[in-house]
Amino acid sequence: MYWIVRVLLLGLLVILSGCDKGPQDQRQTLLVFGTLLDIQAYTDQPELFNEAVRELDKTFQKMHREWHAWQGEGELVRLNRALADGEALQVSAELGSLLQQARQYAIDSEHLFNPAIGQLIGLWGFHSDQPPGGPPPRKVEIEALLKHNPSMEDVSFQGHLVSSTNSMVAMDLGAFAKGYALNLAIDELKRMGIENAIVNAGGDLCVSGQHGERPWVIGIRHPLGEGVIASVGVADGECVLTSGNYERYREFEGVRYAHIIDPRSGYPVAHVASATVISTQGGLADAAATALSVAGPVDWPRIAAKMGLTQVMLVDDQGKVYLTPQMQSRISFQQQVDEVVVTVD
Ligand code: ADP
Ligand code: MG
């Protein structure tokens, strides 16, 4: 009898000490999409978290393989080959829906987000893990591609059968797939029982739940200087995506050529240092951040309105900051900013 009481007591103690610990920060890093994916959760179930991260790793490796624009034999590479040959290809439901969303965002952004310009991106040397040195492509080469005007409106879908009327269309999801995938990751974590998490790929992130009693708070990197330009509380289900010209670029004779290309001119964006978008749809936010970088300091409010966005921050190459009123009301600057322009509602 005595030992039964002791065992019961001990069991109770173990349970109580487990409860005492409460939720804690759990963190793991994966290497996917060529960047580090940082997964953080506030949970009292570390084992479940570890298992969920292992599942996510598999999902992300598969997406990386299938949606890569120029490497391997994934679905997108095969689709691009078929379209170049004037043939249609049956794709998976997932890629089909991804491409249909991309098509809609391209149309909404007046094709400033144009994932059909894979050939142009390749010509600029951004279809390699390490962008090349050396001179930029020649104007005639750029113009030769531009005159075919590849666009998502050339692409049509019959179910998941994808075809194009323009053999110069080559799809590149580099401006869109990351946001879409971050959204999926948050959904998958939720499905596995991890309710309070941040999934962060180099500053692009989606969030679920809260960090205990308070919302998750994140920093937006300064595109021109050091550290964080502003912090913002992110609500359950929201994503924060930034396109910047500081991450990937090539350089020749002191001139930097960023990896975001203006599909109208064929040349890299020059006057926007970064565009940040907050939305519950990661793919939309990612596509939009790219489109608004291309739109530039004058035209971005029109494109943001067309894409249905209310929360945007743009930083131009001089450090001037442009905000929507909704963005202004929720961010806190962490550094001196000389000039801030807020659009009217
Ligand atoms: P980041 O990778 O810094 O988040 P983006 O989301 O803007 O930046 O993605 C840039 C990538 O998108 C480029 O490397 C290229 O593959 C592709 N891209 C470049 N310009 C465009 C554009 N105007 N529309 C669609 N995709 C683009
Ligand atoms: Mg983008």
Side-chain angles (χ1 to χ4, degrees):
M1 184 65 192
Y2 172 70
W3 67 268
I4 293 180
V5 173
R6 266 189 69 163
V7 169
L8 283 177
L9 267 178
L10 210 67
L12 196 66
L13 268 177
V14 169
I15 290 168
L16 283 178
S17 65
C19 292
D20 267 348
K21 263 177 134 185
Q24 290 188 330
D25 284 317
Q26 303 291 334
R27 209 171 193 146
Q28 285 216 33
T29 307
L30 300 175
L31 180 65
V32 282
F33 286 177
T35 55
L36 293 177
L37 182 74
D38 182 53
I39 305 160
Q40 194 186 337
Y42 190 67
T43 178
D44 54 6
Q45 293 178 281
E47 274 316 309
L48 185 64
F49 174 70
N50 290 340
E51 194 189 323
V53 171
R54 281 194 294 274
E55 284 304 308
L56 272 192
D57 192 21
K58 283 187 219 153
T59 311
F60 270 99
Q61 300 305 345
K62 181 161 179 264
M63 291 192 281
H64 181 72
R65 225 174 24 245
E66 299 299 343
W67 302 347
H68 208 290
W70 76 87
Q71 237 169 38
E73 274 296 307
E75 256 199 305
L76 192 62
V77 166
R78 282 183 278 125
L79 176 61
N80 281 335
R81 205 160 44 220
L83 297 184
D85 292 342
E87 287 164 11
L89 191 81
Q90 186 80 27
V91 300
S92 66
E94 175 122 66
L95 183 62
S97 113
L98 186 75
L99 294 175
Q100 292 196 39
Q101 275 185 37
R103 184 177 191 274
Q104 190 56 50
Y105 299 151
I107 292 169
D108 294 345
S109 72
E110 300 178 3
H111 300 282
L112 300 186
F113 163 68
N114 183 350
I117 58 167
Q119 293 216 28
L120 195 54
I121 294 164
L123 180 65
W124 275 97
F126 293 116
H127 280 176
S128 64
D129 291 328
Q130 207 59 41
R138 287 177 306 135
K139 204 170 169 40
V140 286
E141 295 175 284
I142 293 170
E143 277 166 2
L145 289 182
L146 277 191
K147 76 169 196 277
H148 295 280
N149 189 25
S151 132
M152 290 306 280
E153 284 186 82
D154 300 326
V155 179
S156 45
F157 300 86
Q158 282 171 290
H160 299 127
L161 187 70
V162 185
S163 58
S164 168
T165 50
N166 183 346
S167 63
M168 296 302 275
V169 163
M171 245 101 61
D172 175 316
L173 300 176
F176 168 62
K178 202 200 287 173
Y180 183 91
L182 290 172
N183 239 174
L184 287 187
I186 281 292
D187 291 347
E188 195 162 320
L189 286 175
K190 269 199 175 157
R191 224 175 12 253
M192 294 194 68
I194 301 296
E195 304 275 349
N196 299 292
I198 288 196
V199 185
N200 182 340
D204 289 332
L205 54 94
C206 292
V207 154
S208 65
Q210 299 216 129
H211 188 269
E213 295 299 306
R214 52 184 185 80
W216 293 102
V217 177
I218 61 105
I220 300 167
R221 194 170 136 190
H222 200 306
L224 299 169
E226 295 287 306
V228 164
I229 184 167
S231 65
V232 62
V234 190
D236 182 26
E238 284 188 322
C239 301
V240 186
L241 272 290
T242 300
S243 278
N245 66 9
Y246 47 86
E247 289 267 0
R248 254 167 84 74
Y249 51 83
R250 56 188 287 175
E251 208 157 10
F252 183 67
E253 293 179 342
V255 183
R256 264 191 197 186
Y257 300 94
H259 71 144
I260 303 171
I261 312 283
D262 185 334
R264 298 165 297 188
S265 66
Y267 280 83
V269 164
H271 297 302
V272 174
S274 70
T276 301
V277 176
I278 305 183
S279 163
T280 53
Q281 289 163 273
L284 169 63
D286 198 355
T290 305
L292 299 176
S293 296
V294 176
V298 174
D299 290 332
W300 72 267
R302 184 183 78 247
I303 302 298
K306 278 193 161 175
M307 298 186 88
L309 302 165
T310 56
Q311 314 201 37
V312 178
M313 174 170 82
L314 224 80
V315 182
D316 77 8
D317 57 346
Q318 303 302 307
K320 188 166 163 183
V321 175
Y322 300 77
L323 297 169
T324 55
Q326 289 88 340
M327 193 67 140
Q328 185 200 27
S329 66
R330 67 186 291 187
I331 64 165
S332 317
F333 284 114
Q334 302 293 313
Q335 298 192 30
Q336 170 74 28
V337 171
D338 290 335
E339 203 176 348
V340 180
V341 180
V342 181
T343 53
V344 279
D345 244 338

